[in-house]
Amino acid sequence: HLSERRDRKGAAAIELAVMLPALMVLVFGIAELGLMLRATSTMYNIARQSARAAAAGDKVAVIRKELETCDGLDATSLYLFMAYRAEGSSTWYVLSDDAYGNTAPTGAEVRAILIYGHKLLIPGLFGLEFGGQTSNVRWMIKTVTMRRA
């Protein structure tokens, strides 16, 4: 009777040792996925606001200044690229500032490309790159295009 109890305790300890790593990967994977989904949603909102401001004619310098105060993302890992394409053209040009606002002509498509380096919770667990190298950052990209009014 006593040896049976001891065997069950030993079996429970072995089961815990086998299952704990898988459980930890699952828990941290869910947390990482949640953080990445939140970052993706925030990125989309920032890209949309940036494209809308550029389509309204705001200066690129003013739009970039807004990135410094974004909530939920590390501004030092956030990069914004702005471009425009004239109506009927297939070539994208870098959007810059002029005396009145930005250089996109009326009717042009204005594009905001937002790139963010999301820092992983546990790089060695989720940061495998091709070739077996590990990275502590996952690069995420959001692009929004609007027409200049």
Side-chain angles (χ1 to χ4, degrees):
H1 181 244
L2 185 60
S3 68
E4 246 179 64
R5 235 204 228 138
R6 204 174 307 135
D7 288 346
R8 276 188 269 158
K9 283 183 182 180
I14 290 173
E15 289 172 4
L16 178 66
V18 169
M19 293 304 298
L20 191 61
L23 183 62
M24 295 303 290
V25 167
L26 180 67
V27 167
F28 281 108
I30 291 170
E32 190 71 64
L33 180 63
L35 289 172
M36 290 181 77
L37 287 173
R38 183 186 68 144
T40 298
S41 175
T42 304
M43 285 178 63
Y44 177 73
N45 287 332
I46 293 169
R48 185 175 39 83
Q49 290 170 354
S50 299
R52 181 179 294 147
D58 289 357
K59 289 187 173 198
V60 176
V62 172
I63 297 169
R64 286 183 196 274
K65 188 76 173 156
E66 292 290 321
L67 292 179
E68 295 173 6
T69 60
C70 64
D71 290 333
L73 298 180
D74 178 13
T76 61
S77 297
L78 194 60
Y79 305 95
L80 176 67
F81 300 96
M82 305 290 295
Y84 73 93
R85 177 171 64 183
E87 198 169 3
S89 174
S90 61
T91 305
W92 288 92
Y93 299 98
V94 174
L95 187 64
S96 58
D97 293 338
D98 62 14
Y100 305 105
N102 64 51
T103 55
T106 302
E109 289 180 293
V110 178
R111 179 170 284 174
I113 304 165
L114 194 67
I115 301 173
Y116 179 63
H118 171 74
K119 290 179 181 66
L120 298 171
L121 289 175
I122 303 177
L125 189 59
F126 302 112
L128 289 178
E129 298 279 340
F130 294 107
Q133 299 296 318
T134 59
S135 172
N136 65 341
V137 174
R138 276 284 165 248
W139 291 99
M140 303 163 65
I141 300 173
K142 284 291 168 200
T143 302
V144 176
T145 304
M146 294 188 177
R147 187 155 312 272
R148 172 77 193 263

